[in-house]
């Protein structure tokens, strides 16, 4: 058992240095997806990736956004789809 854990490092590669790990967009809470879909601040933007960290009930989600001018930014949201400044 433990031998396999050491060799299987794929789960570690998923985690970014800041503690976020990449998740599929469709795994985001509905509230987060709704904010992404309805907020005018994301008009014309494409969503490049989604990350999460934290414990169930207090997760923080990080959305990677590509703006129309091709600049990239990250937006942090909680599970209720509220943007964290």
């Amino acid at each position: 058992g433990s031998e396999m854990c050491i060799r299987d490092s794929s789960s570690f590669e998923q985690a970014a240095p800041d503690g976020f790990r990449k998740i599929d967009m469709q795994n985001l809470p509905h509230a987060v997806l709704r904010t992404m879909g309805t907020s005018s601040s994301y008009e014309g933007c494409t969503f490049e990736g989604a990350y999460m960290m934290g414990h169930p009930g207090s997760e923080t989600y990080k959305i990677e956004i590509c703006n129309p001018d091709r600049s990239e930014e990250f937006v942090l949201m909680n599970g209720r789809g509220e943007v964290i400044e």
Side-chain angles (χ1 to χ4, degrees):
S2 64
E3 210 177 307
M4 214 171 112
C5 291
I6 297 164
R7 225 178 296 139
D8 178 23
S9 61
S10 60
S11 56
F12 292 107
E13 290 162 7
Q14 290 275 306
D18 56 5
F20 282 90
R21 58 189 184 279
K22 199 167 172 55
I23 59 169
D24 283 328
M25 287 277 184
Q26 52 260 48
N27 291 344
L28 289 166
H30 287 296
V32 172
L33 291 168
R34 192 165 55 237
T35 300
M36 289 162 58
T38 57
S39 171
S40 58
S41 25
Y42 309 129
E43 244 173 84
C45 299
T46 54
F47 300 106
E48 298 294 316
Y51 306 82
M52 71 167 286
M53 73 176 295
H55 306 286
S58 63
E59 301 94 343
T60 301
Y61 297 92
K62 183 168 77 168
I63 316 299
E64 187 180 347
I65 295 170
C66 188
N67 294 305
D69 64 0
R70 299 206 176 286
S71 65
E72 291 199 342
E73 63 174 306
F74 291 99
V75 174
L76 295 177
M77 289 189 218
N78 61 26
R80 295 186 297 280
E82 296 163 345
V83 174
I84 303 165
E85 295 302 337

